[in-house]
Amino acid sequence: MARVLVVDDDELLVELVSFTLESHGHEVLTAEDGTEAIEIATREQPDVVVLDGMMPGADGLDVLRQLRREAGMTLPVIMLSARKQERDVVGGLAEGATDYLVKPVTGQELRRTILTAGKAEEHAEQTVNGRVGAVIGARGGVGASSVATGIAWAIAHDHRKQVALVDLDMHFGTVALSLDLEPGNGLRSALENAERIDSLFVASALVHLSDNLFVLGGEEPLDQPFTVESEPLELLLAELRRIFDMVVLDVPRHMVPGLGPVLAAMSGLAVVTDLSLAGLRDTVRIRSGLTRIAPDVPVRIVASRVGLEKGAELPPPEFEKGLGAKIDHVLAEEPKAAKAALNGKPLATMLTGKRGGQALSLLARQMGGIETAARAGRSWFGLRR
């Protein structure tokens, strides 16, 4: 977490901000005025400065100028001020503020701004970006969104990575619903205003689930058609990769033909299916299409909800024969986990200690580039064979 210097002459505000940040793992330094702020910033080299815009003596802009011009510091500085006129905001940004927040500000907004400010600074001169993986359901009802959420959750909470989970189903997406979140309209806003996409714009669009996991989606009215185009999505993903260690996309299957350039840039792809005859047919078609669209991207086949309808399922060897490829991971149907998911509990948390949880964990590590399996083969309920 970040080392944050909070500069404000309001003792109560400093205590509230410090408590909020410290309770989420940040280390907090404090200063009451500009002189002390310069001294501490020079000596302690914090990751981010939260700077009050109105203080006795030298105000926030004066301190900002000293940090930028006299001390030569390039660290992110977030202005926190009651001044909300356009000239105040523009003036603060023109003097070198990374962001400008108007009081009162929520703890979530402040934490999110610190996250994006720190990540933007960290990645500003780096060419290596975060990874992006996509999960595609071969057909409806196979649990693809649960798998995408499980991957994101495991990478964020088991491996302490910063993760963005993006649900591209603008009308019927269930990622936010399954996590008991309000989806907002952040995704549509970002895709409709691609020319405005930057770290601050993205931060305002994200829905905060935890310190490490953020969600981007939508729940658009059915009388408002919206098509996700490849070019604005590429711009959005480029910015997300600057901010996050991992981006997980939940991609509806009907969007695959129109997102060729996006899918070709993925770090990994997962196709989720059941073991039905229809599932086999659609998995064959999607896998064949991905081979042409994204020939250099590894595609993993995930058999999900196995055992739900045993009479209608093909035996795995027969499924693999028809597919012309091995099943990489098998997730058994877990009735208790599925029921808990209806109450906003991620699949990954409900499978902890179960064999299916081991398989999902392995898939998350593979998609996140966290660990490469020691042996090739299939993860059958998490057990290699």
Side-chain angles (χ1 to χ4, degrees):
M1 289 297 171
R3 196 179 197 201
V4 184
L5 171 59
V6 179
V7 187
D8 202 307
D9 63 312
D10 186 332
E11 184 176 346
L12 178 59
L13 180 63
V14 170
E15 289 181 0
L16 290 173
V17 171
S18 298
F19 175 78
T20 298
L21 297 179
E22 288 174 341
S23 65
H24 286 81
H26 297 289
E27 179 184 350
V28 178
L29 307 169
T30 63
E32 296 182 356
D33 54 47
T35 301
E36 187 180 11
I38 297 295
E39 292 176 355
I40 294 177
T42 303
R43 182 178 68 248
E44 302 292 342
Q45 296 293 306
D47 300 308
V48 182
V49 176
V50 177
L51 179 61
D52 182 26
M54 301 172 63
M55 294 182 293
D59 67 9
L61 287 180
D62 291 330
V63 177
L64 178 59
R65 292 187 191 103
Q66 292 180 57
L67 285 172
R68 290 288 188 242
R69 298 173 187 175
E70 296 177 20
M73 293 184 176
T74 59
L75 78 171
V77 178
I78 299 168
M79 294 288 294
L80 190 60
S81 177
R83 295 171 177 167
K84 59 183 178 180
Q85 297 298 318
E86 182 177 354
R87 64 176 179 272
D88 298 316
V89 178
V90 173
L93 296 175
E95 291 291 346
T98 308
D99 200 356
Y100 191 107
L101 299 180
V102 177
K103 297 178 183 179
V105 61
T106 65
Q108 177 178 326
E109 184 180 6
L110 181 59
R111 295 195 308 272
R112 186 168 57 191
T113 304
I114 288 172
L115 166 68
T116 55
K119 284 291 183 178
E121 189 72 15
E122 176 184 337
H123 291 295
E125 298 181 359
Q126 294 183 9
T127 57
V128 178
N129 294 313
R131 296 171 64 91
V132 185
V135 178
I136 304 166
R139 54 197 300 255
V142 298
S145 293
S146 293
V147 171
T149 303
I151 290 171
W153 181 276
I155 295 173
H157 295 93
D158 295 344
H159 301 285
R160 303 297 180 186
K161 303 289 185 181
Q162 294 287 328
V163 181
L165 174 58
V166 183
D167 188 347
L168 291 182
D169 190 336
M170 300 292 291
H171 292 92
F172 295 102
T174 60
V175 165
L177 180 65
S178 70
L179 295 172
D180 197 25
L181 296 173
E182 288 291 335
N185 62 351
L187 180 57
R188 177 166 188 162
S189 178
L191 294 176
E192 286 184 328
N193 300 276
E195 72 283 353
R196 294 175 51 200
I197 292 176
D198 58 19
S199 61
L200 303 181
F201 188 92
V202 170
S204 67
L206 292 165
V207 178
H208 174 270
L209 179 65
S210 69
D211 285 341
N212 289 336
L213 183 55
F214 297 79
V215 177
L216 193 54
E219 198 170 272
E220 298 301 319
L222 297 185
D223 60 348
Q224 296 181 18
F226 187 83
T227 301
V228 177
E229 302 289 347
S230 182
E231 185 174 347
L233 181 57
E234 287 182 87
L235 294 174
L236 173 61
L237 290 178
E239 191 58 41
L240 288 173
R241 292 180 67 194
R242 279 170 36 84
I243 300 171
F244 291 94
D245 300 307
M246 181 72 193
V247 181
V248 178
L249 297 182
D250 183 5
V251 182
R253 63 176 182 169
H254 71 269
M255 294 178 60
V256 170
L259 296 180
V262 172
L263 297 177
M266 295 289 106
S267 304
L269 297 165
V271 178
V272 182
T273 181
D274 57 16
L275 294 181
S276 67
L277 183 61
L280 173 60
R281 178 202 64 187
D282 294 341
T283 302
V284 168
R285 296 185 65 199
I286 291 174
R287 180 173 177 271
S288 175
L290 292 175
T291 300
R292 295 189 297 271
I293 292 172
D296 299 323
V297 181
V299 178
R300 295 179 174 86
I301 305 301
V302 181
S304 178
R305 312 200 70 178
V306 174
L308 177 64
E309 298 183 22
K310 294 182 179 180
E313 291 180 356
L314 298 171
E318 186 176 337
F319 190 97
E320 291 177 330
K321 182 178 179 181
L323 180 62
K326 292 290 186 181
I327 297 171
D328 296 287
H329 302 278
V330 178
L331 301 175
E333 173 69 4
E334 293 282 354
K336 291 183 179 179
K339 183 177 180 180
L342 296 176
N343 297 317
K345 296 182 179 180
L347 180 65
T349 65
M350 302 309 299
L351 292 179
T352 301
K354 299 180 182 294
R355 290 175 293 178
Q358 297 172 27
L360 186 60
S361 178
L362 175 59
L363 176 60
R365 293 197 304 270
Q366 291 172 337
M367 295 287 283
I370 295 168
E371 177 181 320
T372 302
R375 295 174 52 195
R378 175 166 65 202
S379 167
W380 181 274
F381 301 111
L383 301 178
R384 312 290 306 168
R385 75 172 191 180

